[in-house]
Amino acid sequence: MIYGNQSLLLYNTFHIAADCSYFSEIRSEDEFIALQKEPLYQSNEKLIVGGGSNLLFTKDFNGLVIRNSISGREVVKEDEQYVWVKAGAGEVWHDFVLWCIAHNYGGLENLSLIPGRVGASPMQNIGAYGVEIKDVFEELEALDMKSGEKTVFTKEACEFGYRESVFKGKFKNKYLITSVTFKLSKHPVFNTTYGAIEKELEVMGVKELSIKAISDAVIRIRSSKLPDPAEIGNAGSFFKNPEIPAVQYEKLKEEFPAVVAYPLANGNVKLAAGWLIEQAGWKGYRKGDAGVHKKQALVLVNYDKAKGNEIYALSTEVLESVKAKFGVYLEREVNIC
Ligand code: EPU
């Protein structure tokens, strides 16, 4: 079913009041194949949304928005050590993570409470607290947006990078992801290396480590500093943490000894963009209904009725001022439409 002139307000976590010319929700591969045969599908530009948690609409979308609501959770294979779980792209990410934890399938617990749906998780290789989706990714299935033909993408084929994959690059808008299969562990290896988790587990008085305890800790940390999209519009980190050459970092450190940085295996250094933005004076800034979150400067927020282009203009001001103060260029992580 294709609907005309639909508001996208409920379909983006920034709560931007943009409209689209046409809208359709698909719940199965067959529904997508049927949709592809519609003349309106063929004649319009298309945008696929899942949870709409990594999108900023700066204008109305003059085309067909397809909401991917393909559900399903299925164990497709297992052995002594691992279980392979296939999830429909339209599954709500956090619900799926909690389901895995309830079944004692380890690997996703550090990625608890990330907004969005399963299908978007490999697109930007979601990551948090020392884990990225690529660490537990087995394969995904996707349908060609033109021919409907099914392709299976292995981990290598996805070319995962920091918040990157082929689906944000060379295959942008070329495929509809229908399912993702994760290789999870029956005997989990706990990943608590990220400082904040260990501290939180201590505060919680956890004696025996478990994937549930790690998930609870992550939920507590996230809730304490990241705004809940149900209350304040946002799309998580608006910018990526920038990577700079070690020589540039050494110079920066001379001038700003407190700069927060993480050395990378390739010799470069990753900087905490949140720190740069806070030091540039933006944390808690508000102009109209557009703002920089008061507890995490990397997150831009819509307090109520901000327009997408107001949020975008604020992001430009932020990145220009960080460039002027630190000589470091911030890249937007959120998809701009
Ligand atoms: N910091 C500040 N001021 C701020 C924010 C951060 O000084 O306002 C400094 C602090 O020193 C802090 C450090 O930056 O120790 C790192 O901050 P945080 O642990 O909050 O993580 P982040 O680097 O800002 C990244 C991801 C988040 C993810 C967290 C935890 C990116 C773009 N963001 O943020 O992912 O939850 O690490 O692993 O890599 C997202 O992608 O949407 C997202 C929320």
Side-chain angles (χ1 to χ4, degrees):
M1 179 81 112
I2 300 179
Y3 301 92
N5 203 24
Q6 168 96 30
S7 165
L8 296 168
L9 189 66
L10 297 178
Y11 301 111
N12 73 97
T13 59
F14 247 126
H15 307 320
I16 301 296
D19 294 337
C20 64
S21 326
Y22 300 102
F23 180 88
S24 185
E25 181 159 20
I26 50 145
R27 292 184 179 76
S28 65
E29 290 186 11
D30 287 348
E31 281 188 18
F32 180 63
I33 301 293
L35 180 66
Q36 282 190 310
K37 299 198 172 95
E38 298 281 344
L40 279 175
Y41 178 95
Q42 286 155 18
S43 60
N44 274 281
E45 195 188 330
K46 289 160 278 289
L47 174 71
I48 297 163
V49 300
S53 58
N54 203 39
L55 273 179
L56 178 68
F57 288 108
T58 53
K59 52 184 180 308
D60 290 338
F61 183 72
N62 185 13
L64 170 66
V65 169
I66 302 167
R67 187 167 208 230
N68 187 345
S69 295
I70 299 174
S71 61
R73 299 167 186 172
E74 192 193 344
V75 171
V76 288
K77 189 169 112 179
E78 59 187 304
D79 62 18
E80 279 296 298
Q81 189 69 22
Y82 298 105
V83 53
W84 284 259
V85 182
K86 180 175 175 177
E91 290 283 328
V92 173
W93 175 260
H94 184 57
D95 294 349
F96 174 62
V97 171
L98 292 182
W99 181 84
C100 292
I101 290 165
H103 287 78
N104 207 28
Y105 304 151
L108 298 178
E109 55 281 359
N110 293 49
L111 304 175
S112 295
L113 210 61
I114 294 183
R117 293 181 169 194
V118 165
S121 65
M123 292 190 69
Q124 47 158 344
N125 183 24
I126 59 170
Y129 307 104
V131 174
E132 287 181 336
I133 202 85
K134 72 166 170 45
D135 303 329
V136 284
F137 179 92
E138 178 71 17
E139 63 179 33
L140 67 77
E141 291 179 344
L143 300 179
D144 188 296
M145 291 287 288
K146 277 207 175 103
S147 66
E149 192 191 331
K150 184 179 283 188
T151 304
V152 176
F153 285 82
T154 61
K155 192 190 289 195
E156 290 66 36
C158 291
E159 295 177 23
F160 290 123
Y162 169 54
R163 295 296 189 278
E164 282 296 341
S165 78
V166 282
F167 303 102
K168 274 181 95 174
K170 66 182 178 191
F171 292 147
K172 194 171 175 191
N173 299 329
K174 297 262 187 302
Y175 289 95
L176 173 96
I177 294 171
T178 55
S179 71
V180 184
T181 303
F182 300 93
K183 182 183 174 184
L184 303 176
S185 184
K186 290 180 177 174
H187 310 286
V189 182
F190 303 123
N191 190 333
T192 58
T193 49
Y194 199 92
I197 294 191
E198 284 187 344
K199 228 163 86 195
E200 197 62 39
L201 288 166
E202 233 176 86
V203 174
M204 289 159 63
V206 169
K207 298 270 173 320
E208 205 179 320
L209 210 50
S210 65
I211 57 174
K212 171 80 167 64
I214 293 178
S215 170
D216 288 345
V218 167
I219 290 171
R220 285 166 60 113
I221 299 166
R222 289 188 77 96
S223 314
S224 73
K225 55 180 176 181
L226 293 170
D228 177 355
E231 285 158 24
I232 304 175
N234 76 91
S237 301
F238 197 93
F239 303 97
K240 290 184 188 179
N241 286 327
E243 188 176 324
I244 60 169
V247 273
Q248 188 184 352
Y249 167 67
E250 292 306 331
K251 278 199 203 122
L252 199 63
K253 205 174 165 212
E254 271 171 33
E255 206 181 332
F256 305 99
V259 62
V260 180
Y262 317 92
L264 298 174
N266 65 7
N268 286 346
V269 176
K270 190 176 269 189
L271 302 178
W275 185 88
L276 299 173
I277 297 168
E278 180 175 351
Q279 297 305 310
W282 291 102
K283 198 170 186 173
Y285 174 88
R286 177 170 178 169
K287 186 178 190 179
D289 277 340
V292 178
H293 189 51
K294 52 182 184 296
K295 294 187 194 152
Q296 221 307 2
L298 200 46
V299 178
L300 301 190
V301 293
N302 170 14
Y303 283 103
D304 190 12
K305 292 193 167 53
K307 293 200 165 42
N309 53 18
E310 290 170 337
I311 305 268
Y312 187 82
L314 173 59
S315 75
T316 304
E317 280 189 72
V318 168
L319 66 80
E320 278 173 358
S321 88
V322 165
K323 177 86 182 129
K325 187 172 169 86
F326 299 104
V328 174
Y329 182 75
L330 295 182
E331 205 185 317
R332 293 181 183 87
E333 197 244 300
V334 166
N335 296 306
I336 311 295
C337 292

